[in-house]
Amino acid sequence: MSVEIKFIGEQEPFSYTDGEGTVYRYRVEDSGALSIFEKEGKGYVPVDAGPIAVYGPAAWFSVSGDKFSKADRRPGRAFSV
């Protein structure tokens, strides 16, 4: 699934989607920043992978799509959501 972000001051939303089956997840950080993650095919987000993009809290006001969850990490690996 894609992640769609509505940025402050923009009319049209921006969408993370590539049409080739890549799956994206988002996470709202404690600071209010928005982090975007890319899954490996339909598998998992690698444990050592950082976000592919981070937007400050003053840049965006709405996000939709699939939220990053524990299910997005490979079982048996320690991480924080």
Side-chain angles (χ1 to χ4, degrees):
M1 175 165 192
S2 64
V3 171
E4 188 173 273
I5 306 166
K6 291 184 181 175
F7 290 103
I8 294 173
E10 295 294 321
Q11 295 282 332
E12 298 295 319
F14 179 80
S15 193
Y16 277 91
T17 184
D18 67 1
E20 296 181 14
T22 302
V23 178
Y24 297 94
R25 297 288 190 256
Y26 73 88
R27 178 171 66 194
V28 179
E29 308 293 346
D30 291 340
S31 66
L34 177 65
S35 297
I36 307 297
F37 294 87
E38 181 178 51
K39 290 178 76 170
E40 294 179 334
K42 295 187 182 200
Y44 301 99
V45 175
V47 171
D48 58 349
I52 60 169
V54 178
Y55 301 100
W60 66 281
F61 69 89
S62 176
V63 62
S64 62
D66 289 330
K67 191 172 183 178
F68 188 90
S69 71
K70 291 181 181 182
D72 293 315
R73 294 287 194 189
R74 189 173 305 279
R77 299 279 178 99
F79 74 98
S80 62
V81 172

